Coordinates of all heavy atoms in Angstrom, one line a residue:
H1 N 7.3 2.1 -25.1 CA 7.4 2.3 -23.7 C 7.1 1.1 -22.9 O 6.6 0.0 -23.3 CB 6.4 3.5 -23.2 CG 4.9 3.0 -23.1 ND1 3.9 3.7 -23.5 CD2 4.3 2.0 -22.5 CE1 2.8 3.1 -23.2 NE2 2.9 2.0 -22.5
K2 N 7.8 1.1 -21.7 CA 7.7 0.1 -20.8 C 7.1 0.5 -19.4 O 7.5 1.6 -19.0 CB 9.1 -0.6 -20.6 CG 9.8 -1.4 -21.6 CD 11.1 -1.8 -21.3 CE 11.0 -3.0 -20.3 NZ 12.2 -3.7 -20.1
N3 N 6.3 -0.4 -18.8 CA 5.8 -0.1 -17.5 C 6.7 -0.8 -16.3 O 6.7 -2.0 -16.4 CB 4.4 -0.5 -17.4 CG 3.5 0.3 -18.3 OD1 3.3 1.6 -18.1 ND2 2.8 -0.4 -19.3
I4 N 7.5 0.0 -15.7 CA 8.4 -0.6 -14.8 C 8.1 -0.4 -13.4 O 7.8 0.8 -13.1 CB 9.9 0.0 -15.1 CG1 10.3 -0.2 -16.4 CG2 10.8 -0.6 -14.1 CD1 11.6 0.3 -16.8
P5 N 7.9 -1.3 -12.5 CA 7.5 -1.1 -11.0 C 8.5 -0.1 -10.3 O 9.8 -0.3 -10.7 CB 7.5 -2.3 -10.5 CG 7.4 -3.4 -11.6 CD 8.1 -2.7 -12.7
V6 N 8.0 0.7 -9.5 CA 8.9 1.3 -8.5 C 9.7 0.3 -7.7 O 9.1 -0.7 -7.3 CB 8.0 2.3 -7.6 CG1 8.9 2.9 -6.5 CG2 7.4 3.4 -8.5
Q7 N 10.8 0.5 -7.4 CA 11.7 -0.5 -6.9 C 11.6 -0.7 -5.3 O 11.9 -1.8 -4.9 CB 13.2 -0.2 -7.2 CG 13.4 -0.4 -8.7 CD 13.1 -1.8 -9.3 OE1 13.8 -2.8 -9.0 NE2 12.0 -1.9 -10.1
S8 N 11.1 0.3 -4.7 CA 10.8 0.2 -3.3 C 9.7 1.1 -2.8 O 9.7 2.2 -3.3 CB 12.1 0.4 -2.4 OG 12.6 1.6 -2.6
V9 N 8.8 0.6 -2.0 CA 7.7 1.3 -1.5 C 7.5 1.2 -0.1 O 7.7 0.1 0.5 CB 6.3 0.9 -2.3 CG1 5.1 1.4 -1.7 CG2 6.4 1.2 -3.8
G10 N 7.1 2.4 0.6 CA 6.7 2.3 2.0 C 5.2 2.6 2.1 O 4.7 3.5 1.7
C11 N 4.6 1.5 2.6 CA 3.2 1.6 2.8 C 2.8 1.9 4.4 O 3.1 1.1 5.2 CB 2.4 0.3 2.5 SG 2.9 -0.4 0.8
Y12 N 2.0 3.0 4.4 CA 1.6 3.3 5.8 C 0.2 2.8 6.0 O -0.7 3.1 5.2 CB 1.7 4.9 5.9 CG 1.4 5.3 7.4 CD1 2.3 5.1 8.4 CD2 0.2 5.8 7.8 CE1 2.0 5.5 9.8 CE2 -0.3 6.1 9.1 CZ 0.7 5.8 10.1 OH 0.5 6.2 11.5
V13 N 0.0 2.1 7.2 CA -1.3 1.5 7.4 C -1.8 2.1 8.7 O -1.3 1.6 9.8 CB -1.3 -0.1 7.4 CG1 -2.6 -0.6 7.8 CG2 -0.8 -0.6 6.0
P14 N -2.8 3.0 8.8 CA -3.1 3.7 10.0 C -3.7 2.6 11.0 O -4.4 1.6 10.6 CB -4.3 4.6 9.5 CG -4.0 4.8 8.2 CD -3.4 3.5 7.6
A15 N -3.5 2.9 12.3 CA -4.1 1.9 13.3 C -4.2 2.6 14.7 O -4.5 1.9 15.7 CB -3.3 0.6 13.4
G16 N -3.9 3.9 14.8 CA -3.8 4.5 16.1 C -5.1 4.5 16.7 O -5.3 4.2 17.8
K17 N -6.2 5.2 16.0 CA -7.5 5.2 16.6 C -8.3 4.0 16.3 O -9.0 3.5 17.0 CB -8.3 6.5 16.0 CG -9.7 6.7 16.5 CD -10.3 8.0 16.1 CE -9.7 9.2 16.7 NZ -10.1 9.2 18.0
F18 N -8.3 3.6 15.1 CA -8.8 2.4 14.6 C -7.8 1.5 13.8 O -7.1 2.1 13.0 CB -10.0 2.7 13.7 CG -11.1 3.5 14.1 CD1 -11.3 4.9 13.9 CD2 -12.1 3.0 15.0 CE1 -12.3 5.7 14.4 CE2 -13.1 3.6 15.6 CZ -13.1 5.0 15.2
P19 N -7.9 0.2 14.1 CA -6.9 -0.7 13.3 C -7.4 -0.9 11.9 O -8.2 -1.7 11.5 CB -6.9 -1.9 14.2 CG -8.2 -2.1 14.8 CD -8.6 -0.6 15.1
M20 N -6.8 -0.1 10.9 CA -7.4 -0.1 9.6 C -6.7 -1.3 8.7 O -6.0 -1.1 7.9 CB -7.2 1.3 8.9 CG -8.0 2.3 9.5 SD -7.8 3.9 8.6 CE -8.5 3.6 7.1
V21 N -7.4 -2.5 9.0 CA -6.9 -3.7 8.3 C -6.9 -3.5 6.7 O -6.1 -3.9 6.1 CB -7.9 -4.9 8.8 CG1 -7.4 -6.2 8.0 CG2 -7.7 -5.1 10.4
A22 N -8.1 -2.9 6.4 CA -8.3 -2.7 5.0 C -7.2 -1.8 4.3 O -7.0 -2.2 3.2 CB -9.6 -2.0 4.6
S23 N -6.5 -1.0 4.9 CA -5.5 -0.2 4.3 C -4.3 -1.1 3.9 O -3.6 -0.7 3.0 CB -5.0 0.9 5.2 OG -5.9 2.0 5.1
A24 N -4.1 -2.3 4.6 CA -3.0 -3.2 4.1 C -3.4 -3.8 2.8 O -2.5 -3.9 1.9 CB -2.9 -4.3 5.3
H25 N -4.8 -4.0 2.5 CA -5.0 -4.6 1.2 C -4.7 -3.6 0.2 O -4.2 -3.8 -0.9 CB -6.5 -4.9 1.1 CG -7.1 -5.6 2.3 ND1 -6.4 -6.4 3.2 CD2 -8.4 -5.6 2.9 CE1 -7.2 -6.8 4.2 NE2 -8.5 -6.4 4.0
M26 N -5.2 -2.3 0.4 CA -5.1 -1.3 -0.5 C -3.8 -0.8 -0.9 O -3.6 -0.3 -2.1 CB -5.9 0.0 0.0 CG -7.3 -0.4 0.5 SD -8.4 -1.1 -0.7 CE -9.9 -1.3 0.2
S27 N -2.8 -0.9 -0.1 CA -1.5 -0.5 -0.4 C -0.5 -1.6 -0.6 O 0.2 -1.7 -1.6 CB -0.9 0.5 0.7 OG -0.8 -0.2 2.0
V28 N -0.4 -2.4 0.2 CA 0.5 -3.6 0.3 C 0.3 -4.5 -1.0 O 1.0 -4.8 -1.8 CB 0.7 -4.3 1.5 CG1 1.6 -5.5 1.4 CG2 1.2 -3.4 2.7
L29 N -1.0 -4.9 -1.0 CA -1.4 -6.0 -1.9 C -1.4 -5.4 -3.3 O -0.9 -6.1 -4.2 CB -2.9 -6.5 -1.7 CG -3.4 -7.8 -2.3 CD1 -4.4 -8.4 -1.4 CD2 -3.9 -7.4 -3.7
T30 N -1.7 -4.2 -3.6 CA -1.6 -3.5 -5.0 C -0.3 -3.4 -5.3 O 0.2 -3.5 -6.5 CB -2.5 -2.2 -5.0 OG1 -2.1 -1.4 -3.8 CG2 -3.9 -2.5 -4.9
A31 N 0.6 -3.0 -4.4 CA 2.1 -2.9 -4.8 C 2.6 -4.3 -5.1 O 3.4 -4.5 -6.0 CB 2.8 -2.4 -3.5

């Protein structure tokens, strides 16, 4: 077996009530 990355990802980073800076690390960086 091979581990192949998903070819495109949409990362949602909440910021409406609080600017959730950390969510960028958690989704974008790990991708």
